[in-house]
Amino acid sequence: MPIVQPPAPPTHLGQLRTFIRLFLPICLVLLIIGAMHYYTFYTTEHSSIESTESLNVDLARRMVQEDIADVVKDLRFLAEHIETQGLPEALPWTREQRIAQEFKVFAKNKGLYDQIRYLDDSGMEIVRVNYNDGDVEVVPYAALQNKANRYYFREAMAQDPGGIYLSRFDLNVENGKIEEPFKPVIRFATPVVDHSGNKSGIVLINYLGARLIDNFSRAAASIADHIELLNSDGYWLSSPKHENEWGFMLESGNRFQNEKPMAWQEIVRNESGQFENAEGLFTYTTIYPLKAALAALPASMESSGQEQKQPPQWKIVSHIPHSQISSTFPLFLKNNGALYLAMFLLIFVGTGFLARTTHLHRIAEAQRDYEQRFRHTLENIELAAVALNRQGKLTFCNNHFLDITGWERKDIIGKDWIRQLVAEQDKEEISGIIRLMDSPRQFPSHLELQVKTRSGTPRLIAWNNTLSYNSKGEVIGVTGIGEDITDIRRTESELLKLYQAVEQSPSSVVITDPQGNIQYVNPKFTEVSGYRPEEVIGRNPRLLKSGETSREEYSNLWETIQNGGEWRGEFHNRRKNGELFWEAAAISAIRDSEGNITSILAVKEDITEKKRLEKEVEKQNRELALAETMAAMGRMASMIAHDLRNPLSSVKMTLQILGKKTDPATSADTRELCQISLEQIRYMEEILSDMLSYSRPDALKPEWIPIDKVIDLAIGMSQRRQHKKKIALQTQYHSGLPTIYADATKLRQVFSNLIANAFQATADSETPQISIEAMVELGHEGTNVRIDICDNGCGINEADQKRIFEPFFTTRAKGTGLGLAIVKRILEQHQASIQVSSNTPTGTCISVILPINPSTQTSATENHSHE
């Protein structure tokens, strides 16, 4: 533990540190006060915003209800006026003239209603007055229509006397089209009764909804930029974004609940309220148009319309986003910035004075403490401590120093440090250092020095040196606090040798922390993986994973290491450039003296080439065994062909001659038997041909060919069968198909065989279909061309899918079982693969994966097997 020199006189840096230690907490207090002040200000503003929103939403609601009430009052005025004038019983001509005159004057004075109509109890329009921008028109009798089938007539006539019918709020439609410019309307209707109390018709008003929307906006003018009027389905009737309005009429799917689903759930759940979520502050209320209409009726008449079906409700919603709510901070700064700036300056000046006073006080206290504790500290520390005067004589040493060196205190106190304790080779250097006490800034604060022990064996000690000063600031000596590092340096030397061995190791070495994060990799790791140390330090070794090692294997690895064992195994990893490689790894834990895992060591060897050679040997052995089997099969097939073909040819010729005879004595049964026998002989010849083809494969004659042309030729060979069975054959060649290096004849044989099998599989299908699709596919080994041949036939069960490529295995009554075996052998010659899967919902898919440019390394083997 180092001992600091006595406190120095006050310096600007010391005062600055004291100032900072005082200034920062006071500023923190001021910041907390400011934050609390702002929170209070924000809460007040937030409450003000909430109150303003609620007030404006309520004003808008009342304005809408008052508009509806005004219309209802006008409607009832017209109906009662007609009833009190006895117009329902008047002569038709008198009735029409007087009602038309009344409606015309009323429409012109009000200027609110698109149409005012009187319909009799049969639904016939008796009077219709149209209003258009101050122009009032009474529609001629010839243009009046019967509205008996219209929903609003039926529902209005169904009302009790004095009842009110209210239609939905929508756009006016003329001749089946929405009128442009848009004209929002609401239809209000009420029955008209004669003096006997019988319903003689209805008064119908088309209210111009634009006035209602304008009044709605004016009532909430202070929040007009974010208040909206919605119908019960969430469509906008009024919105600051006019393009959102009337979506239900314009067949638009744009609705409030689509943009703000969580807010809509809360809004439809309650009639009114205010809430805040992640999207901002929402204030809402509900308007029931019919209730507002009935509220305008006299108390004695309110119940007359209660049985009408309740029309949809409307929602008034205001929405303020959080960004607008939180904009109170600039306002807070404007109102209180000057105050807080003045407080800050006051704190700054006051803290400066306080810092200087505090610093001087601490210096004085530190000086006293230093003098009192100096000796006690040196005696009790677990480090070597010595003190030398200006002449280099030892004036003090602690017990720990005596224990290290073996000296007695009386043997060294007062003795010359250099002569008694410094090794001969270091004496001149230490003499120069002691002379540097006259230049304190040049005196070394750290020094490693060998000290002679009583036994004569030197000990290497690392010293931290501190000069001692008197009250005048003059150097009077030096105090050294040292640590015996003899064993540490010896260990470091051994570790250096080990480090060099690891750095030059032919195996990859990886060291991780207990969590698996890489701490060290040697150069061999970089050579094998391609990752530089700075790219992997701190990362997990999983960056090398190829995905082929199972989770269970990794679990077993960690369990083995944590139980104190050494895990050995192989990894199939991926280099930085994407290449895969194999590594044999030995992984174990490094533990401290208490048995805790401090690191994990992995030593790995690149066995990619070894794996490749093993695989090559295995492949060659497999091909050699297959070649021997094929050779034996070829000899057998040749013998069978030689012994059977000549007799079969004779029998075939005889049957052909018999079948062509036109002798009347030859019966039809005899000719039929000849034909059956010929078919069986041809089947036997096919069996012999397949056996020879499978046992004696020809060498490939590769060339660059377009795969789509090969498939088209194979399809052409099967056209006759396709047309005969009425099979729907579809082909799809993706754009950009490359040419491949392959034997065109062999591949045509492959695809002909696969297409023929697909034809046979769909024989019993009502609508046989076959699809062929060719595409480019990126695999681990490079770019391939993939051809999928799918049918909707009977399909192949999962057990048979694993065996269909075995020689002589077949699921049909007739067949050698060599067709697909020959296909697979040809594809293996091309280093290609074939896969079988079930089609959905029925049928089978065969997938052929061809490399674009297969290596020629198997050509020698193929030629050998052919020989």
Side-chain angles (χ1 to χ4, degrees):
M1 111 180 224
I3 297 179
V4 298
Q5 65 185 28
T11 63
H12 293 298
L13 180 60
Q15 293 182 36
L16 177 61
R17 290 174 178 170
T18 304
F19 172 80
I20 292 174
R21 284 196 294 269
L22 295 172
F23 181 70
L24 289 181
I26 296 175
C27 285
L28 180 60
V29 172
L30 180 63
L31 182 62
I32 293 173
I33 294 172
M36 294 174 64
H37 186 187
Y38 172 69
Y39 176 76
T40 304
F41 180 82
Y42 172 81
T43 304
T44 303
E45 288 295 316
H46 194 280
S47 299
S48 176
I49 291 173
E50 291 179 348
S51 299
T52 301
E53 294 297 305
S54 298
L55 177 62
N56 280 276
V57 167
D58 190 59
L59 285 174
R61 175 186 62 80
R62 284 189 285 174
M63 179 58 71
V64 172
Q65 290 177 338
E66 288 175 3
D67 276 4
I68 293 174
D70 289 343
V71 177
V72 170
K73 291 175 182 177
D74 289 344
L75 178 68
R76 287 305 307 159
F77 169 78
L78 292 175
E80 291 172 358
H81 185 71
I82 293 173
E83 292 170 352
T84 56
Q85 295 293 322
L87 295 180
E89 295 88 358
L91 294 174
W93 186 87
T94 301
R95 178 184 60 184
E96 293 165 9
Q97 288 294 322
R98 292 182 62 184
I99 293 176
Q101 186 63 30
E102 295 285 351
F103 282 5
K104 182 176 180 180
V105 172
F106 188 82
K108 187 173 185 61
N109 289 333
K110 285 291 184 178
L112 304 177
Y113 307 117
D114 182 48
Q115 289 183 350
I116 304 176
R117 290 179 282 179
Y118 174 69
L119 287 73
D120 63 16
D121 56 358
S122 67
M124 185 63 193
E125 291 181 333
I126 303 303
V127 176
R128 187 203 313 166
V129 174
N130 294 338
Y131 178 83
N132 187 12
D133 294 332
D135 184 17
V136 179
E137 175 192 6
V138 178
V139 178
Y141 178 80
L144 298 178
Q145 303 174 6
N146 191 299
K147 304 295 184 179
N149 294 327
R150 297 299 178 91
Y151 69 93
Y152 53 81
F153 174 76
R154 293 195 302 271
E155 295 188 21
M157 283 296 294
Q159 299 296 313
D160 293 335
I164 300 297
Y165 164 74
L166 204 68
S167 72
R168 70 173 185 172
F169 194 2
D170 57 13
L171 298 177
N172 193 42
V173 177
E174 292 291 342
N175 300 322
K177 294 184 178 180
I178 297 175
E179 185 177 353
E180 291 187 359
F182 293 159
K183 185 184 289 185
V185 295
I186 307 176
R187 296 179 180 86
F188 292 80
T190 185
V192 176
V193 299
D194 57 20
H195 67 279
S196 301
N198 299 319
K199 290 184 284 187
S200 61
I202 64 171
V203 175
L204 180 67
I205 294 178
N206 285 11
Y207 175 54
L208 291 173
R211 180 178 182 273
L212 184 144
I213 293 174
D214 289 342
N215 290 340
F216 167 78
S217 300
R218 282 197 297 272
S222 60
I223 61 170
D225 60 334
H226 58 267
I227 190 169
E228 302 166 322
L229 180 63
L230 311 171
N231 66 11
S232 56
D233 295 324
Y235 288 101
W236 282 278
L237 303 177
S238 175
S239 171
K241 298 179 181 178
H242 298 299
E243 62 273 13
N244 290 338
E245 297 174 345
W246 309 110
F248 65 97
M249 296 291 294
L250 304 176
E251 298 182 355
S252 168
N254 189 13
R255 293 195 287 177
F256 184 89
Q257 55 264 48
N258 296 338
E259 292 187 2
K260 302 176 181 68
M262 299 301 295
W264 180 251
Q265 292 180 10
E266 179 69 20
I267 290 169
V268 298
R269 191 180 299 122
N270 302 301
E271 289 194 9
S272 62
Q274 191 173 63
F275 63 91
E276 193 168 351
N277 62 14
E279 297 171 324
L281 176 67
F282 291 87
T283 308
Y284 66 95
T285 189
T286 305
I287 298 176
Y288 295 96
L290 182 59
K291 287 184 179 180
L294 295 177
L297 297 177
S300 60
M301 299 178 62
E302 286 188 19
S303 61
S304 60
Q306 293 301 316
E307 296 181 0
Q308 179 186 328
K309 182 180 178 181
Q310 175 67 35
Q313 61 189 11
W314 300 341
K315 293 284 185 178
I316 298 176
V317 180
S318 77
H319 170 222
I320 301 181
H322 284 297
S323 59
Q324 187 174 343
I325 297 175
S326 60
S327 63
T328 55
F329 186 69
L331 180 61
F332 176 79
L333 287 180
K334 180 179 178 182
N335 295 340
N336 303 283
L339 172 63
Y340 282 97
L341 179 60
M343 293 175 64
F344 177 81
L345 293 176
L346 180 61
I347 291 172
F348 183 84
V349 174
T351 304
F353 287 110
L354 183 61
R356 179 167 179 79
T357 304
T358 303
H359 182 69
L360 294 175
H361 180 69
R362 286 178 179 172
I363 290 293
E365 288 185 343
Q367 181 69 33
R368 289 193 300 270
D369 290 344
Y370 174 78
E371 294 173 354
Q372 294 173 0
R373 295 188 301 175
F374 178 73
R375 293 281 179 173
H376 179 74
T377 301
L378 294 182
E379 286 290 351
N380 292 282
I381 61 174
E382 292 296 323
L383 295 171
V386 297
L388 306 179
N389 60 17
R390 288 288 300 272
Q391 290 72 40
K393 292 184 178 181
L394 190 66
T395 60
F396 168 82
C397 69
N398 65 355
N399 292 331
H400 192 79
F401 177 77
L402 297 175
D403 293 339
I404 292 174
T405 60
W407 293 101
E408 295 290 339
R409 193 180 304 274
K410 58 185 176 63
D411 296 330
I412 56 176
I413 293 297
K415 300 295 178 66
D416 187 272
W417 170 262
I418 297 175
R419 185 180 302 170
Q420 186 76 13
L421 296 166
V422 175
E424 192 66 34
Q425 66 271 18
D426 297 329
K427 288 183 177 181
E428 183 177 351
E429 178 186 357
I430 300 305
S431 297
I433 292 174
I434 290 177
R435 288 193 295 271
L436 288 176
M437 288 187 192
D438 296 330
S439 304
R441 293 186 178 181
Q442 299 179 17
F443 194 87
S445 59
H446 301 283
L447 177 68
E448 290 187 8
L449 175 66
Q450 288 189 345
V451 177
K452 289 190 300 184
T453 64
R454 185 173 188 137
S455 63
T457 304
R459 302 294 294 182
L460 183 63
I461 299 179
W463 296 100
N464 291 316
N465 304 314
T466 303
L467 295 175
S468 301
Y469 298 83
N470 60 18
S471 60
K472 298 179 181 180
E474 297 173 346
V475 176
I476 59 175
V478 61
T479 301
I481 308 299
E483 179 183 7
D484 187 354
I485 59 172
T486 306
D487 296 334
I488 294 176
R489 289 290 181 263
R490 186 182 299 118
T491 303
E492 288 177 351
S493 177
E494 297 297 326
L495 288 176
L496 179 60
K497 294 177 184 178
L498 178 61
Y499 172 76
Q500 291 174 344
V502 171
E503 284 285 295
Q504 300 172 19
S505 172
S507 299
S508 297
V509 178
V510 179
I511 300 177
T512 73
D513 61 19
Q515 288 73 40
N517 300 314
I518 296 175
Q519 297 176 323
Y520 167 82
V521 294
N522 69 343
K524 187 64 178 179
F525 172 87
T526 300
E527 178 186 337
V528 172
S529 69
Y531 288 98
R532 299 190 303 276
E534 59 269 21
E535 294 178 309
V536 297
I537 298 299
R539 300 179 65 183
N540 195 284
R542 68 170 65 93
L543 64 92
L544 300 174
K545 287 174 59 175
S546 64
E548 298 184 14
T549 304
S550 66
R551 189 184 298 272
E552 290 74 15
E553 291 183 71
Y554 284 114
S555 299
N556 179 51
L557 183 155
W558 281 104
E559 183 178 355
T560 301
I561 293 173
Q562 292 174 350
N563 291 335
E566 180 185 54
W567 184 88
R568 290 181 177 271
E570 296 178 352
F571 292 117
H572 201 190
N573 287 336
R574 188 182 301 277
R575 293 187 173 93
K576 181 180 179 180
N577 61 6
E579 295 179 1
L580 297 176
F581 67 102
W582 284 95
E583 284 187 314
I587 303 176
S588 58
I590 301 174
R591 300 176 182 270
D592 58 17
S593 58
E594 298 179 357
N596 299 317
I597 296 177
T598 59
S599 302
I600 297 174
L601 171 67
V603 181
K604 302 186 288 184
E605 179 185 358
D606 186 354
I607 58 171
T608 306
E609 183 62 20
K610 178 182 176 182
K611 282 281 188 180
R612 189 191 67 78
L613 293 175
E614 289 177 353
K615 187 176 180 181
E616 185 66 26
V617 170
E618 181 183 354
K619 181 179 179 182
Q620 289 180 358
N621 290 339
R622 188 169 60 251
E623 290 181 349
L624 181 60
L626 181 61
E628 291 176 354
T629 302
M630 292 300 101
M633 182 176 175
R635 290 192 295 272
M636 180 185 71
S638 298
M639 179 187 68
I640 293 174
H642 181 270
D643 292 343
L644 291 182
R645 274 189 169 173
N646 289 337
L648 284 175
S649 298
S650 300
V651 174
K652 180 179 180 180
M653 185 180 299
T654 302
L655 291 172
Q656 287 175 339
I657 294 172
L658 288 175
K660 292 180 180 180
K661 282 187 176 183
T662 58
D663 187 356
T666 303
S667 66
D669 292 341
T670 301
R671 287 193 295 273
E672 183 179 356
L673 290 174
C674 289
Q675 188 64 31
I676 294 172
S677 299
L678 283 172
E679 291 179 358
Q680 296 300 315
I681 289 174
R682 292 191 190 98
Y683 174 57
M684 294 173 66
E685 289 177 339
E686 290 179 3
I687 294 175
L688 291 176
S689 297
D690 287 347
M691 291 178 64
L692 290 174
S693 296
Y694 182 71
S695 61
R696 298 180 124 184
D698 297 331
L700 295 180
K701 297 178 182 179
E703 57 182 327
W704 291 101
I705 58 174
I707 190 62
D708 51 346
K709 301 298 182 185
V710 175
I711 297 174
D712 288 339
L713 288 174
I715 293 173
M717 297 172 63
S718 307
Q719 288 287 350
R720 182 176 178 184
R721 183 180 298 181
Q722 175 190 356
H723 293 314
K724 181 178 179 182
K725 296 187 176 182
K726 297 181 180 180
I727 298 173
L729 179 62
Q730 298 179 348
T731 60
Q732 181 181 1
Y733 303 134
H734 290 209
S735 60
L737 286 177
T739 57
I740 63 173
Y741 192 66
D743 188 324
T745 303
K746 294 281 189 181
L747 290 185
R748 188 165 61 249
Q749 180 182 355
V750 167
F751 292 120
S752 297
N753 197 324
L754 295 178
I755 293 171
N757 285 350
F759 285 161
Q760 293 175 1
T762 58
D764 298 329
S765 179
E766 295 182 1
T767 57
Q769 295 180 354
I770 297 174
S771 65
I772 302 175
E773 182 178 6
M775 69 198 79
V776 176
E777 181 180 71
L778 297 177
H780 290 299
E781 307 298 332
T783 305
N784 304 317
V785 175
R786 180 189 183 99
I787 301 95
D788 292 335
I789 302 175
C790 300
D791 62 68
N792 64 341
C794 57
I796 304 173
N797 62 52
E798 187 174 349
D800 290 342
Q801 287 181 10
K802 301 177 180 178
R803 300 189 58 198
I804 59 174
F805 297 108
E806 296 178 6
F808 306 109
F809 176 80
T810 180
T811 58
R812 296 197 296 269
K814 293 180 66 177
T816 63
L818 291 173
L820 290 178
I822 294 172
V823 165
K824 185 175 182 182
R825 184 171 180 82
I826 293 174
L827 292 177
E828 288 177 347
Q829 287 181 289
H830 286 82
Q831 301 178 35
S833 61
I834 186 169
Q835 301 171 355
V836 183
S837 60
S838 297
N839 196 11
T840 303
T842 60
T844 304
C845 281
I846 302 290
S847 300
V848 176
I849 297 93
L850 292 164
I852 293 177
N853 186 14
S855 62
T856 58
Q857 61 184 6
T858 59
S859 59
T861 304
E862 293 168 354
N863 293 337
H864 176 75
S865 64
H866 177 63
E867 293 173 2

